[in-house]
Amino acid sequence: MPMCESQTSGKPPAAPRTSAEAPLRIVRADLSVPVACFATGWLTALRREARIDVAHIPLEPAPTRALSVQITQTPVSVRSYMFPELPANCPPAGPPRPVAAARVSDVTKSLPARTRFQPPRDIVKLQDRLYYLLQPPLESLVNSGQLTFPNQPFAYQYQGIAFLYPRYAAILADEMGLGKTMQAITAARLLLRSGEIRSVLLVCPKPLVTNWQREFAHWAPELPVSVIEGDQTRRRWQWQQDQVPVKIANYELLLRDADVLCGRQLQFDLVVLDEAQRIKNRSSTTSQVARSISRTRSWALTGTPIENSPEDLVAIFDFLLPGHLNSNMQARRIGRAARDYVLRRSKDAVLTDLPPKLYRDADLELTCEQEEAYRAAEEQGVVRLSRLGEALTIQHVFELVLRLKQICNFDPMTGSSSKLERLEADLEEVAASGKKAIVFSQWVQTIEIMSQRLARFGPLEYHGKIPSRRRDQTIAQFRTNPNHHVLLMSYGAGSVGLNLQFCNYVFLFDRWWNPAVEDQAINRAHRIGATGPVTVTRMLTRGTIEERIQQVLEEKRQLAAAVFSEAGGPDNLGLTQEQIFGLFNLPVPAPVKRVGTSPVGFERSSDTLAHVSRLEHGTGGL
Amino acid sequence: MIRSVGQKSLPAIGFLTVARDADQGLLGGYLVLNSLGRPLEFHCTAPVRANRAQEILYGPTLDPYLCGERIGQTLLEKSKAAPRIVLTDCPPAMAARFVVDTPMALVLDPPAPTPETDDAGPHSALHAAGETAIGGVVRVASGSGGAPLHAFPLGSYRVAVLAECPEDEPYLVEQWAHFAGQIEMDEPFHRIREAIDEARASSH
């Protein structure tokens, strides 16, 4: 490597001169540097084997912790209920009959799918409630052929049967003509077939015994039925027979055989009172005997659970559930307490396709003869009543009412009658159209007079003077013979239990003391099976006692509505004794005042009135 | 109140259902009827509710476990009558068949709808549960744990048995003859639900 020549070794090189001084000359220079080696000891260390020391550091694993989850078996606690098996002697009716099957298909179209038994509130034991709740629907029984009907029941009738079946105390209070008979028979039939009951006693008014017999044969042909009748020895023997599950007796027999019935030898599983308003007077012997019959279940059938006052319902409950209702309860409270025991449906609500019932009020003027007789009788009567003073009783007033009502029908001297004139005119039309009519009156005497005057219409009579054995024949004759256009009936004998739905006209020649009986009379024609509209003509003479009584009847209709409506209503719609005396503007004598002025007093009064009527004129006793 | 009456041994049939209550859990009901449709026995469970661990660990098999193995088995074993067959309308309850000897069937469909109700769509609860059917084998997508079922017509209904128990089908067909015409296959389940409600109401 060229170097600048400047000095020898050992000396530091001189600084190069600038070009102005002299040009640089490259000379050789010895740059060797003495190097001496000496031992540091490091090399040895490098050559030495690496020394490895192993240190033990404990690496203990973290403990594995297991969490056990217990999968316990979910506890299942069970409540069990056992029910009695169907008795061996009541096998199913067999496979569905073709006719029944066809009807069942109709049922599915027209009925709610399933009508189930609902246990009433007074059944508190769960086992018993479930027993009813778990029974098959009525439609299933029909569908399977276990239960057959000659005619297809209506949906509301299924509901009525389901209502009665589980109840130990019940009132079926359907409006007349809705088939209470069929519902009661079917419910009893089901109970008998299921083995829940073995003996049934049905009590009804005497004229209806054959009707019940017929209905049992129609709706429950497999059930043997025994009618209690004949002399005392025979009846006593009949009462003791327990092979026949259904016994039918009339109310009058209850009284005669009270010693047998009130003893403890006889026990019925079910007692049904038809036309249960017959026991509305709690102090009557009929009511007492009915209440004393030893029984497990009690049903009452009536279209008029309240005829005059809520007291009527209290009396029926004394038979069903003694003490459940009492006379001191107000109408609304009675309604609430009775609700679970009473089933009441009106035709308007359930029979939307029933032909209409048309009311026609015939407000008539008295004939001159009637007018004269009426005014004279009224004036004399009122004067006589006024003169009685403290001796005046309600019976005296009744006698005058009866007298005046009769004059409103016929003039006692001449027989003149504006009502009959009108009736004759109307019956001409009825007969010309080939229809049939029923005429109701309170008096047999009136019926007999009418029968003579209406001879050209082929009248038939049905009242208390007609022997029981001839009554069915009379009805059959009226039904089948086209020459008989009119049936003359007393309210007492003909207002209950008869099926006269082939009649299109009903005439109320005079008015009964309470609207419920009138309704029953009208519903002989306006009921299931009615072939057309039923025209009801209510005859009334203007400006007479009939007009005043009419106002009372309207008030009574409102009374019944008050008890059975949710909204309630006035508690006192009956007529007080003051009002009865007030018919003639008479003051109430002091002794009568002390008796009381409650509507109950009116009930007693109207009963007495009807009683007097029957006694004096031989009407309608059953 | 109810009188005991003479016994007659008619063939019996069981109806099992499980009701689900949002507050209380599952309530099982088991009704044994005779061949006339009359009740012989009714058994019902207190409310059964799975705990959280069961919900997680059983997963989709929880319902069959509870409805079938716990509720179903317990109820069926309580019966003193010996029902020929047991019907259920609760798909998960079919799991009970794995642990009981009595042949069981799931009621799938009510009778064919009438023309008036034809537009109401499928009536089966299983349709709502996501039923799929291939070659007569029904697999229920939810609520049953997916147990394969074999469906077939029985009377006017369609029912299904566990695919693992094919022998149940001919037996069911044979035994149903005792009850057909007397009992509507889906009706008793309504009775059971009402009875469960009644029992619950009485316990409050």
Side-chain angles (χ1 to χ4, degrees):
Chain A
M1 169 175 135
M3 299 184 62
C4 296
E5 187 183 31
S6 58
Q7 63 180 56
T8 58
S9 60
K11 294 181 182 177
R17 286 180 289 197
T18 62
S19 57
E21 291 173 348
L24 283 177
R25 192 173 50 98
I26 301 301
V27 295
R28 184 170 175 273
D30 183 8
L31 297 178
S32 59
V33 177
V35 175
C37 292
F38 60 90
T40 63
W42 290 0
L43 203 57
T44 307
L46 288 173
R47 290 193 191 109
R48 196 166 49 226
E49 287 282 328
R51 182 180 147 197
I52 300 172
D53 290 330
V54 177
H56 290 274
I57 301 171
L59 293 176
E60 289 182 6
T64 304
R65 297 174 63 194
L67 180 64
S68 297
V69 178
Q70 296 291 327
I71 305 178
T72 52
Q73 287 212 322
T74 307
V76 179
S77 68
V78 177
R79 294 164 78 179
S80 296
Y81 306 90
M82 304 293 170
F83 305 108
E85 169 76 276
L86 192 72
N89 61 349
C90 292
R97 296 181 302 185
V99 176
R103 287 197 301 270
V104 169
S105 65
D106 294 339
V107 172
T108 55
K109 287 177 191 167
S110 59
L111 297 180
R114 285 150 183 164
T115 307
R116 302 276 308 283
F117 299 118
Q118 294 295 330
R121 285 184 203 154
D122 63 354
I123 293 182
V124 292
K125 194 176 166 192
L126 182 60
Q127 164 100 14
D128 295 333
R129 295 185 69 79
L130 290 178
Y131 173 77
Y132 292 115
L133 209 55
L134 289 169
Q135 293 299 322
L138 279 171
E139 288 82 354
S140 290
L141 297 178
V142 175
N143 207 2
S144 65
Q146 294 178 55
L147 187 63
T148 54
F149 293 116
N151 310 106
Q152 177 55 55
F154 290 89
Y156 74 85
Q157 290 177 322
Y158 277 110
Q159 289 155 11
I161 296 162
F163 168 81
L164 285 175
Y165 181 87
R167 278 173 167 75
Y168 284 70
I171 301 180
L172 186 58
D174 284 347
E175 192 180 344
M176 289 70 67
L178 289 182
K180 292 188 288 292
T181 305
M182 171 269 173
Q183 295 174 63
I185 288 174
T186 306
R189 182 191 189 197
L190 286 171
L191 285 167
L192 283 164
R193 290 178 55 160
S194 71
E196 285 187 63
I197 63 172
R198 291 169 191 275
S199 58
V200 180
L201 171 62
L202 185 126
V203 186
C204 64
K206 192 175 177 185
L208 300 186
V209 169
T210 52
N211 191 56
W212 271 99
Q213 246 184 314
R214 206 168 40 240
E215 293 291 309
F216 263 106
H218 187 68
W219 292 103
E222 79 279 15
L223 290 184
V225 173
S226 163
V227 176
I228 307 293
E229 59 189 355
D231 59 29
Q232 190 178 11
T233 310
R234 177 180 161 82
R235 295 201 308 271
R236 193 171 289 273
W237 177 80
Q238 285 179 315
W239 283 119
Q240 302 298 340
Q241 296 305 305
D242 54 6
Q243 299 92 337
V244 181
V246 180
K247 292 184 173 69
I248 301 177
N250 65 60
Y251 282 102
E252 290 71 21
L253 280 186
L254 286 194
L255 306 184
R256 284 193 232 161
D257 295 342
D259 58 327
V260 181
L261 285 164
C262 298
R264 288 290 152 189
Q265 306 104 324
L266 281 182
Q267 156 73 30
F268 293 96
D269 294 329
L270 168 64
V271 173
V272 184
L273 297 188
D274 184 28
E275 304 298 343
Q277 65 273 19
R278 288 286 293 265
I279 60 162
K280 69 181 182 183
N281 184 351
R282 278 183 285 175
S283 59
S284 70
T285 314
T286 305
S287 176
Q288 288 169 8
V289 175
R291 293 201 306 265
S292 67
I293 299 172
S294 182
R295 64 202 183 276
T296 309
R297 293 173 188 248
S298 310
W299 296 348
L301 312 179
T302 173
T304 54
I306 296 179
E307 281 193 321
N308 291 297
S309 76
E311 180 77 7
D312 299 343
L313 192 62
V314 174
I316 296 175
F317 265 85
D318 268 2
F319 164 72
L320 301 175
L321 277 178
H324 188 68
L325 301 183
N326 66 65
S327 308
N328 299 324
M329 295 165 79
Q330 293 191 330
R332 196 174 303 180
R333 198 168 150 221
I334 287 178
R336 276 200 300 271
R339 191 166 300 148
D340 196 43
Y341 300 93
V342 182
L343 180 65
R344 180 170 175 80
R345 281 83 56 91
S346 67
K347 284 184 191 162
D348 292 341
V350 297
L351 286 182
T352 49
D353 54 350
L354 193 68
K357 181 167 54 180
L358 310 170
Y359 282 98
R360 193 171 57 155
D361 286 327
D363 294 342
L364 306 167
E365 299 288 348
L366 293 172
T367 63
C368 296
E369 294 87 347
Q370 282 179 293
E371 179 76 31
E372 195 175 334
Y374 185 92
R375 298 302 160 211
E378 186 175 40
E379 284 169 22
Q380 290 166 13
V382 171
V383 168
R384 196 171 68 87
L385 293 179
S386 302
R387 285 181 183 157
L388 285 172
E390 292 291 311
L392 176 64
T393 66
I394 206 157
Q395 275 74 19
H396 293 119
V397 183
F398 289 157
E399 284 169 16
L400 178 57
V401 171
L402 292 172
R403 175 81 182 137
L404 295 178
K405 282 193 71 177
Q406 285 179 313
I407 296 172
C408 290
N409 283 358
F410 293 101
D411 170 44
M413 299 299 290
T414 64
S416 167
S417 168
S418 57
K419 288 184 182 177
L420 192 62
E421 288 170 13
R422 169 67 183 266
L423 180 62
E424 285 183 275
D426 284 354
L427 286 179
E428 293 285 358
E429 193 180 323
V430 171
S433 60
K435 307 279 188 185
K436 291 179 188 282
I438 317 169
V439 180
F440 281 98
S441 174
Q442 182 179 351
W443 288 284
V444 171
Q445 191 183 25
T446 298
I447 289 172
E448 288 172 340
I449 296 171
M450 280 195 290
S451 186
Q452 294 167 15
R453 303 267 289 268
L454 300 174
R456 63 185 183 283
F457 302 113
L460 291 169
E461 296 178 36
Y462 191 102
H463 48 69
K465 283 189 179 175
I466 305 295
S468 298
R469 63 182 180 279
R470 271 184 48 204
R471 292 187 185 180
D472 285 346
Q473 186 187 342
T474 301
I475 297 297
Q477 202 178 352
F478 181 53
R479 186 195 308 269
T480 54
N481 190 332
N483 297 321
H484 296 298
H485 290 286
V486 60
L487 182 67
L488 306 173
M489 305 187 94
S490 68
Y491 283 104
S495 64
V496 292
L498 295 172
N499 297 324
L500 302 171
Q501 55 271 69
F502 53 90
C503 296
N504 295 102
Y505 294 90
V506 174
F507 293 88
L508 306 183
F509 196 74
D510 44 54
R511 310 296 299 276
W512 189 252
W513 309 106
N514 83 53
V517 174
E518 285 191 347
D519 286 343
Q520 285 194 327
I522 293 164
N523 283 302
R524 296 308 100 214
H526 188 250
R527 60 198 300 117
I528 296 168
T531 51
V534 176
T535 304
V536 182
T537 305
R538 297 183 289 202
M539 295 185 156
L540 192 78
T541 48
R542 287 196 201 113
T544 66
I545 191 77
E546 288 187 330
E547 209 168 52
R548 277 170 268 171
I549 291 173
Q550 167 66 10
Q551 292 169 358
V552 177
L553 297 183
E554 279 309 310
E555 289 175 353
K556 286 186 173 187
R557 285 181 202 277
Q558 293 175 39
L559 171 69
V563 172
F564 288 110
S565 76
E566 287 285 333
D571 286 338
N572 185 350
L573 282 173
L575 195 68
T576 63
Q577 292 191 73
E578 282 88 347
Q579 288 170 306
I580 295 175
F581 282 87
L583 289 172
F584 301 104
N585 295 322
L586 292 167
V588 181
V592 178
K593 267 184 181 167
R594 282 196 294 275
V595 172
T597 56
S598 70
V600 176
F602 175 73
E603 180 219 336
R604 300 280 179 260
S605 303
S606 63
D607 284 351
T608 311
L609 192 57
H611 181 63
V612 169
S613 160
R614 284 197 291 271
L615 284 179
E616 293 192 347
H617 304 281
T619 48
L622 298 172
Chain B
M1 226 169 199
I2 294 166
R3 189 180 300 169
S4 180
V5 294
Q7 296 286 313
K8 181 184 180 184
S9 49
L10 295 167
I13 182 171
F15 289 85
L16 169 69
T17 194
V18 180
R20 194 178 296 270
D21 183 279
D23 297 327
Q24 294 190 308
L26 300 170
L27 298 134
Y30 181 51
L31 177 63
V32 181
L33 304 177
N34 68 13
S35 58
L36 300 175
R38 304 277 184 178
L40 299 175
E41 298 177 15
F42 177 67
H43 310 273
C44 60
T45 68
V48 175
R49 184 186 278 281
N51 58 36
R52 183 66 186 140
Q54 287 173 322
E55 285 175 3
I56 296 168
L57 293 168
Y58 277 90
T61 65
L62 180 64
D63 270 353
Y65 165 69
L66 290 178
C67 298
E69 293 175 45
R70 301 298 303 134
I71 293 174
Q73 183 184 13
T74 307
L75 287 172
L76 265 58
E77 286 175 350
K78 284 283 179 184
S79 174
K80 290 196 169 44
R84 307 274 179 99
I85 53 177
V86 174
L87 300 178
T88 182
D89 64 348
C90 174
M94 280 299 288
R97 181 64 182 96
F98 291 118
V99 287
V100 298
D101 293 331
T102 314
M104 285 183 70
L106 175 67
V107 180
L108 294 175
D109 289 326
T114 57
E116 294 81 19
T117 59
D118 207 14
D119 57 352
H123 295 271
S124 165
L126 280 184
H127 281 92
E131 169 200 359
T132 55
I134 300 169
V137 176
V138 177
R139 185 171 291 276
V140 180
S142 64
S144 70
L149 303 169
H150 169 65
F152 60 96
L154 186 62
S156 55
Y157 287 75
R158 203 164 61 98
V159 300
V161 295
L162 285 182
E164 287 186 35
C165 304
E167 68 281 6
D168 282 1
E169 179 183 342
Y171 186 76
L172 276 156
V173 171
E174 177 196 335
Q175 292 300 321
W176 177 247
H178 293 291
F179 310 101
Q182 302 289 335
I183 298 173
E184 292 175 68
M185 203 181 283
D186 65 336
E187 182 275 324
F189 298 116
H190 297 279
R191 294 193 231 175
I192 299 176
R193 289 191 190 92
E194 278 194 43
I196 289 174
D197 288 344
E198 187 72 32
R200 285 169 63 195
S202 74
S203 64
H204 288 160

